[in-house]
Amino acid sequence: MSATLRPGSKHKSTRPRSFKLLLGGVAVLLLALFADTVFRDGLSRLSDLVFDSFQRAAPRAATLDPGVLVVDIDEASLARVGQWPWPRDQVGQLVDTVGSLGAAAIAFDMVFTEPDRTSLGPQLQRLQAQGIAIQVAPNAPLDNDQLFAQAIARNPVVMGVALSSETGRALSPPLAGLSFAGSDPRAYLPAFEGGLSNLPVLTAAATGIGSFSFPPARDNIIRAMPLVASADGQLYPGLGVEALRVAQGASGLLLRSSDASGEAAAGPLALTAVKVGMLELPAAADGRFRIHYSGMPHMTAIPAWQLLQGDAAAWADKVEGRVVLIGTSAIGLRDIVATPLAAAEPGVNVHAELIDQALNQQFLQRPDWARGAEVLVAVVSSLLLLLVMAGARPLLSSLAFLLLLAAVLGLAGWAYTRHAWLLDPLPALLCLLAVFVSMMPTLLFVGNREKRFVRSAFSRYLSPALVERLSHDAQALQLGGETRQITVLFSDIRGFTALSENLSPDALTTLLNDFLTPMTDVLLAHEATIDKYIGDAIMAFWNAPVDIAAHPRKACLAALGMAAAVDALNRERGSALRIGVGLNMGEACVGNLGSQQRFSYSAIGDTVNLASRVESLTKYYGVTLMVTDAVRAEAAELAYVEVDRVRVVGRNEPVQLFALLGDAQLAQQAEFAALAQAHAQVLALYRSGDFCAALNALQVLRMQSGAASLAGLHALYVQRLEQLIIHPPTQWDGIFTATSK
């Protein structure tokens, strides 16, 4: 079988393909890692979406009794108390009520930038300007802001400020003292240009000032809050941080930078932590704190109207010793934000989440080694995928790609849920995707080329089913030569030399084509590999290049099919062709055999030689189909009779030969059983040396029904027995020694 492969090698493209795929894949991997580094800021949006999915799948364990609660200016409170803004004396009343219930700190998630227009003083001035004179009591409060400030001064209140770069208005200075471990963060934190502060009278009365501004996000989802922010040359703690400071009675904050050890920082300066009283919160480089949301299902939310108009004392056990945030969930007041857990959440609840995490010291953290681990996972997983793709089929490569994607996501999810580590799977996912997308077209092209090669090389020598198996599993095709257990068949036309002398070349060609075509059809139908045609002779074998189950039996059935096909051809052509078929089973070397210029897929070895000898002996013994004992042992259900024990040319050990007469159905018939038994008795007498008795038994056997199929064999034994009777041997072992091939 001609092919385009070099002898002694596997498929010629395997190693080059593997090397080129690996080389190209490594280049793609390096490019993907470079792109991930360069475009990290842009890709962070995708990373955020991954972490959002982790948050939704595994929210932070909710605190059963949070140390923080919300006084909510909700829709019901607006309906009962009146539209916002409420008179400041009422807000002051709310502060006094909460303070009287024992709140550790009261923080406003809002800012009061303008004077209260409902104060009595401004209203009197307005009426007087219109010529209306109204008498008021001498001690009547004329300024609601003063009343509010007095309430603030009586209680541990944190006033909120809004930091922004959209306004340059000056801010009131922060009240928290600051100390630094390392560099002053104002040197590297992003700075706001200004913001909105409370009225000076309110600021002067406050215990603390904190920023409630949410950092801008491209998708408006709040994932982090600044622990401390720089604005107008000052450092402002976040509202939650300042509330914790006031609640603990601490005077200031400790800000730790990356150079806090006294040594030069390895990279750009960054904030690493903020310590407030006894609590410490980890910070990202820009001062932000990543919020691990729980949804705060057990947190108390008191409608504001119940403290102003209801039984406030009923809430004492809920308020005492806790940080109280005053905010709003009313849609009209526009303090609704999106979080990873909810599309609409009151902004005050985000501050509550931060405070709850600080009190419980439960944090999401990004370890120092995170980036190195992400690159390592990306490289290792991509190289694993490359190794699989270099040696596997596209389907298996696709499965490996999906499994590696799942493994990377699973590893990141495990780190998130088990250790609260923010390990970004995106670099590995992008590298895997880049490798797979860039290499799969090459793999498909090479795979299709291999399939085309296999189909081209074997389509004329294997059945379509076997060619399809090989095309889908090229690795099963060991083209470099291997030792396999095979069944070998040789067939030949009897008297072909004499026949060819009487035919013209055209007639001879027609005869051969008419003969070889049905023979080939039979062999391919029984999953044979056709090795070669040698004139009228055919060599075929089973169980190479692919595994064939029960190959000795299939070879025997193929031989019976060939004999039947010859009978059909004789009836069709009116000819008298006869064939001889020899079968043997054993180990042989199969693979590419030949020269560098031309070679074929074939089999060599003693097993093949013996099959050829068996085929030659069919003419001598006068039988059509003959097999060795090795074949008969593996397909014992078929119909056989023993022929002889022979020492063939080139072998010292004798081989037991059997004539194959039919299939398993014939073997079950009583007539054949009687014939086989009588034949075996003749051979037993022959081998025992009782030649006269053997001859007499053989003469009786030749008259038995069904013996006509063995007429040539029996005629040979009659002649042999008569000679042995006339010239009895001095030594007898019952083994015939062949003198020719």
Side-chain angles (χ1 to χ4, degrees), residues 28-380:
V28 170
L29 170 59
L30 293 176
L31 183 61
L33 286 174
F34 175 76
D36 179 74
T37 301
V38 172
F39 302 106
R40 182 93 293 263
D41 290 341
L43 294 173
S44 61
R45 166 72 179 123
L46 295 176
S47 300
D48 287 338
L49 294 178
V50 173
F51 290 131
D52 289 350
S53 67
F54 290 167
Q55 288 245 33
R56 289 189 291 272
R60 178 173 60 90
T63 306
L64 296 178
D65 187 18
V68 60
L69 63 84
V70 170
V71 172
D72 188 8
I73 303 172
D74 58 0
E75 298 288 355
S77 297
L78 295 179
R80 289 174 178 267
V81 179
Q83 70 179 21
W84 188 262
W86 292 341
R88 300 281 166 79
D89 59 334
Q90 284 186 307
V91 180
Q93 179 188 344
L94 183 64
V95 170
D96 279 334
T97 301
V98 174
S100 67
L101 296 177
I106 304 168
F108 277 94
D109 182 27
M110 58 189 67
V111 63
F112 301 91
T113 60
E114 302 293 337
D116 184 359
R117 295 182 181 180
T118 66
S119 295
L120 184 56
Q123 297 298 331
L124 287 175
Q125 292 177 2
R126 191 163 149 235
L127 291 173
Q128 289 173 357
Q130 296 177 4
I132 302 173
I134 297 179
Q135 295 293 325
V136 297
N139 58 349
L142 300 180
D143 189 350
N144 289 345
D145 289 319
Q146 286 288 347
L147 296 178
F148 185 23
Q150 292 168 11
I152 292 173
R154 288 190 292 268
N155 297 282
V157 175
V158 176
M159 299 303 292
V161 295
L163 305 183
S164 173
S165 293
E166 297 178 1
T167 176
R169 293 171 63 176
L171 293 165
S172 55
L175 299 180
L178 299 175
S179 58
F180 309 118
S183 299
D184 185 339
R186 278 173 291 198
Y188 55 81
L189 286 180
F192 294 93
E193 294 182 3
L196 299 176
S197 291
N198 296 280
L199 295 171
V201 66
L202 303 180
T203 299
T207 309
I209 294 178
S211 166
F212 58 77
S213 300
F214 293 121
R218 283 165 292 188
D219 55 5
N220 296 317
I221 295 177
I222 306 303
R223 301 180 178 89
M225 283 291 294
L227 296 178
V228 62
S230 175
D232 198 19
Q234 303 287 337
L235 290 176
Y236 290 85
L239 184 68
V241 173
E242 185 73 340
L244 288 169
R245 181 188 70 82
V246 171
Q248 295 179 85
S251 61
L253 308 176
L254 173 64
L255 309 182
R256 182 178 294 113
S257 298
S258 54
D259 60 346
S261 63
E263 300 178 359
L269 287 173
L271 193 65
T272 59
V274 173
K275 187 173 184 181
V276 49
M278 301 298 294
L279 305 174
E280 183 169 299
L281 290 81
D286 60 358
R288 297 188 188 189
F289 172 84
R290 188 90 183 204
I291 299 175
H292 194 182
Y293 287 93
S294 69
M296 302 291 289
H298 305 297
M299 182 184 70
T300 301
I302 306 174
W305 72 267
Q306 293 196 12
L307 297 177
L308 291 173
Q309 301 177 358
D311 182 9
W315 297 97
D317 61 333
K318 297 292 186 181
V319 175
E320 185 176 5
R322 289 172 170 78
V323 175
V324 177
L325 298 173
I326 299 178
T328 178
S329 65
I331 297 176
L333 299 186
R334 302 175 64 183
D335 190 26
I336 303 299
V337 299
T339 71
L341 297 188
E345 182 80 12
V348 67
N349 288 0
V350 177
H351 300 289
E353 292 268 10
L354 184 150
I355 293 171
D356 185 53
Q357 286 181 253
L359 292 173
N360 291 281
Q361 293 291 286
Q362 297 175 331
F363 309 121
L364 288 174
Q365 299 187 65
R366 182 165 172 80
D368 295 338
W369 44 264
R371 180 58 181 172
E374 291 161 1
V375 172
L376 179 63
V377 171
V379 171
V380 170

